Amino acid sequence: MRNIKSSFVIALILATSLFYHTSFAQTYGQNGMVVSDNTVASQVGTNILKKGGNAIDASIATAFALAVTHPQAGNIGGGGFLVYMDANGMSTTIDFREKAPLLATPDMFLDSDGQLIKGSNHEGLKSVGVPGTVAGLYMAHQKYGKLPWKDLVQPSVDLAANGVEFSYTLAEHAKNFNKGTYPQFLKDYYHNSKGELTKHGELWIQKNLAETLKLIRDHGRDGFYKGAVAQEIATYMKENGGIITMEDLNKYEAVERQAITGTYKDYGIVSMPPPSSGGVAIIEMLNIMEQANLDSIAFNSTAYVHLVAEAMRRAFADRAEHLGDPDFNLEMPLDRLTSKAFAKMRYDNIDMNKASVSDTLKFGQLYDGKNTTHLSVVDKVGNAVSLTYTLEQSYGSGLGSPKLGFIFNNEMGDFNPQPGYTDSGWLIGTDPNIIQPEKRMLSSMSPTIVTKNGKPYLVIGSPGGRTIINTVFQTILNVIAYDMPIKKAIETMKIHHQWFPDELIFENDLMSPDTKKTLEAMGHVVKGRDNLGRLMGILIPTDGTAYIGASDSSSPDGGAVGY
Ligand code: GLY
């Protein structure tokens, strides 16, 4: 049911975006820029910059605002990653990925015959990971913020308490929830105080969420992981069959981790290390592309699509074989996977006339959702934040305590659910990502900063499950190898290959029929899709002219706000 539901919501988002998207223009800002999936939230962040806040402050305020205005992925009940680089080139990351609860077990989604109970890892309260968002945003503030914490949360308290204009997209979701077999929490989510469905253009007020946010505003991390909020989460879980306890919440900590880094020619790549697989895979793919002479391979030609797909095929196989939570996988060969020598080996066995065969002994991770949201921020002095966070699927588990007013993730679905069992369809049982108590599930979220002369140059990220890695990779390549303006780099044709299933996905209408035919003759299974990625990016020109912000036109409510 969840899969059908989330596909429907995604189809709806895509359909509505045709009628309701932001302009194709780039946005310029002399002093600062915030780009996110919701223009109101971007404005909240820009207001913080105007008040003298830095990029970290603005990213925190925007993330809290998205938890109010963009509840399909903006959240306090999920988790994510933040990549930070200051104007002088110092970089770091904050990992606030959800963790498996202490009572979780490797076989928790299996029946008595050891078979996966279909859908169970994405449904119900057992699919909820211990949320990390509030801890991560709080840690970012403690270490690198400037304005008082309260100033960063207050705008979201106001948005929730006073209401936001209900968008066309959310109104369509609301109608859908009330037609289908959704959890009661989701059916009630968009109701007003009279119990009626909020309509497009009306004010949508979230009183209980406002109260939860007030506790976070006043008590920081402890406002969520201790006291009344934590108690209500634990009680709700216990009474309704969940396994997250007060101990899980008290124990949760975000982690500051060294960024994973690489290069493409003169550019630096600064991205998220495991438990994200994004940074490693993006660097591996850029290294493979560097081996080729792209000056002689035209963008979007058959040779280009084939080479990009083969790079993806290889990187996704390596991802599945090696990557997981670094606290549980102590021997991950990150240096090797991101080295030029490794990329040469991978590049050397690409046949430019023929598709490779995906080897069934290696497998691509298939369990991440198609939602998630990304925001990019640059402040007046050039500090940059790239932040992606998620509930896993659109609206996560669709469950939550009505008293708290926010949605719980279903991130446990990002683990490999059936240990040791892998097939060529979608089941993967490789070791690095099996469920263990307190382990973080492998992610594809890829918040990234590209540098030029050692300073932030391009701030970029996207939602989209596994496609995140590939859409971020291609957007970077479009800017730094094909010299595209950022907006064009975001909008132009993307493809996706993830090793298994062995399919080359392209965006409908953006690949010529001739190219498709030639790729099929080379052995690729080529399939169209309406859209890949929803990229949110900022370019920082090296000549000191205005920052350039761009939000993907496939984001119905998204927008770049500069000043
Ligand atoms: N849930 C999407 C991801 O973490 O990749």
Side-chain angles (χ1 to χ4, degrees):
M1 185 272 286
R2 286 286 313 152
N3 284 343
I4 294 164
K5 178 170 62 180
S6 62
S7 316
F8 183 89
V9 170
I10 288 151
L12 198 60
I13 290 169
L14 298 178
T16 53
S17 72
L18 294 173
F19 304 101
Y20 206 76
H21 59 59
T22 49
S23 96
F24 275 85
Q26 299 186 140
T27 301
Y28 295 86
Q30 299 292 338
N31 301 297
M33 179 73 67
V34 180
V35 190
S36 82
D37 254 322
N38 185 276
T39 309
V40 175
S42 299
Q43 185 67 61
V44 165
T46 305
N47 291 347
I48 292 293
L49 294 178
K50 284 184 185 166
K51 276 175 73 175
N54 63 19
I56 289 281
D57 293 330
S59 70
I60 294 167
T62 308
F64 276 118
L66 285 167
V68 180
T69 61
H70 186 75
Q72 55 271 55
N75 69 79
I76 55 175
F81 305 124
L82 181 157
V83 175
Y84 174 57
M85 177 172 265
D86 75 13
N88 300 317
M90 186 288 296
S91 67
T92 190
T93 76
I94 310 271
D95 166 4
F96 51 100
R97 183 69 162 164
E98 299 94 323
K99 292 174 95 165
L102 287 158
L103 291 173
T105 58
D107 57 359
M108 64 189 279
F109 297 118
L110 307 184
D111 62 19
S112 52
D113 295 328
Q115 300 300 308
L116 174 67
I117 303 164
K118 218 169 165 211
S120 62
N121 54 340
H122 273 122
E123 281 184 23
L125 285 175
K126 290 201 175 73
S127 73
V128 184
V130 182
T133 295
V134 176
L137 299 181
Y138 193 68
M139 174 182 270
H141 180 257
Q142 292 289 295
K143 298 209 166 198
Y144 303 105
K146 191 171 153 198
L147 293 184
W149 170 257
K150 288 184 186 198
D151 293 8
L152 311 181
V153 188
Q154 186 60 44
S156 299
V157 173
D158 295 339
L159 287 173
N162 303 332
V164 289
E165 192 181 308
F166 202 50
S167 75
Y168 177 80
T169 309
L170 297 189
E172 290 299 303
H173 296 178
K175 276 192 225 159
N176 177 45
F177 292 151
N178 278 272
K179 277 190 255 160
T181 50
Y182 296 92
Q184 194 58 41
F185 184 77
L186 220 47
K187 285 181 185 270
D188 295 341
Y189 193 68
Y190 289 127
H191 283 173
N192 61 25
S193 55
K194 291 188 214 139
E196 297 158 346
L197 212 54
T198 311
K199 296 195 180 67
H200 174 211
E202 290 179 351
L203 263 191
W204 174 47
I205 292 169
Q206 300 174 76
K207 284 231 172 304
N208 292 349
L209 176 60
E211 294 309 312
T212 302
L213 287 168
K214 279 182 199 167
L215 290 170
I216 295 168
R217 174 197 66 193
D218 296 341
H219 304 288
R221 178 198 176 282
D222 289 353
F224 188 91
Y225 295 92
K226 293 185 175 163
V229 173
Q231 191 56 63
E232 175 54 23
I233 296 173
T235 304
Y236 185 84
M237 287 280 166
K238 193 165 179 195
E239 286 175 356
N240 296 283
I243 57 172
I244 293 178
T245 62
M246 199 66 175
E247 189 184 357
D248 283 309
L249 294 159
N250 290 174
K251 277 184 90 172
Y252 184 90
E253 297 288 352
V255 185
E256 183 167 19
R257 300 188 192 275
Q258 199 179 4
I260 188 124
T261 57
T263 58
Y264 180 88
K265 299 191 174 170
D266 292 340
Y267 295 92
I269 312 296
V270 178
S271 194
M272 194 67 211
S276 170
S277 56
V280 175
I282 286 171
I283 291 168
E284 179 180 337
M285 291 190 288
L286 286 170
N287 283 340
I288 293 173
M289 298 308 286
E290 203 182 43
Q291 296 289 323
N293 177 12
L294 292 188
D295 292 341
S296 64
I297 301 180
F299 176 76
N300 219 356
S301 60
T302 304
Y304 167 87
V305 175
H306 173 69
L307 178 60
V308 168
E310 292 301 329
M312 291 170 175
R313 188 197 301 273
R314 284 155 179 74
F316 270 76
D318 293 327
R319 168 194 193 268
E321 187 166 357
H322 297 293
L323 303 183
D325 183 344
D327 297 342
F328 288 75
N329 294 281
L330 304 178
E331 307 282 326
M332 286 186 289
L334 301 187
D335 289 345
R336 182 159 174 264
L337 292 174
T338 56
S339 71
K340 302 288 181 193
F342 185 77
K344 181 168 185 330
M345 200 177 79
R346 285 285 180 260
Y347 174 74
D348 281 349
N349 66 17
I350 295 175
D351 179 341
M352 282 306 285
N353 296 308
K354 204 165 124 222
S356 312
V357 175
S358 285
D359 178 348
T360 47
L361 295 175
K362 293 186 172 180
F363 301 90
Q365 164 65 261
L366 295 182
Y367 301 111
D368 42 8
K370 292 185 175 55
N371 219 276
T372 298
T373 189
H374 178 82
L375 62 102
S376 294
V377 181
V378 180
D379 66 20
K380 191 167 183 163
V381 298
N383 302 313
V385 170
S386 190
L387 187 158
T388 314
Y389 73 151
T390 187
L391 289 168
E392 164 62 349
Q393 291 180 319
S394 188
Y395 294 93
S397 63
L399 296 165
S401 157
K403 289 183 191 156
L404 299 174
F406 68 86
I407 300 170
F408 296 143
N409 68 78
N410 58 350
E411 215 73 54
M412 292 295 287
D414 266 357
F415 280 115
N416 295 351
Q418 195 169 335
Y421 180 76
T422 307
D423 60 24
S424 61
W426 62 281
L427 267 176
I428 293 160
T430 49
D431 269 357
N433 192 37
I434 60 162
I435 302 170
Q436 288 177 264
E438 294 201 89
K439 194 186 211 178
R440 289 166 152 88
M441 54 296 283
L442 186 64
S443 171
S444 299
M445 291 186 285
S446 312
T448 300
I449 297 174
V450 177
T451 65
K452 202 168 179 177
N453 306 325
K455 299 199 171 154
Y457 176 63
L458 172 67
V459 188
I460 192 76
S462 175
R466 282 153 293 152
T467 62
I468 294 174
I469 299 173
N470 288 336
T471 56
V472 172
F473 154 62
Q474 287 166 94
T475 306
I476 292 171
L477 199 66
N478 291 345
V479 171
I480 67 180
Y482 286 97
D483 291 328
M484 289 184 203
I486 181 168
K487 185 68 176 172
K488 186 171 177 194
I490 283 174
E491 300 290 348
T492 199
M493 219 281 287
K494 308 276 184 310
I495 65 157
H496 175 70
H497 197 298
Q498 59 179 39
W499 190 262
F500 273 113
D502 188 353
E503 292 168 351
L504 196 167
I505 311 288
F506 69 98
E507 289 180 295
N508 283 329
D509 303 328
L510 294 178
M511 181 188 280
S512 88
D514 288 352
T515 306
K516 183 169 176 281
K517 254 194 210 150
T518 316
L519 288 163
E520 281 166 347
M522 289 164 77
H524 289 285
V525 177
V526 188
K527 288 194 176 165
R529 196 189 274 188
D530 279 343
N531 184 63
L532 288 167
R534 218 163 59 227
L535 292 120
M536 302 286 149
I538 303 174
L539 192 95
I540 307 166
T542 44
D543 61 4
T545 50
Y547 302 139
I548 308 170
S551 86
D552 203 318
S553 59
S554 63
S555 174
D557 295 336
V561 180
Y563 84 104

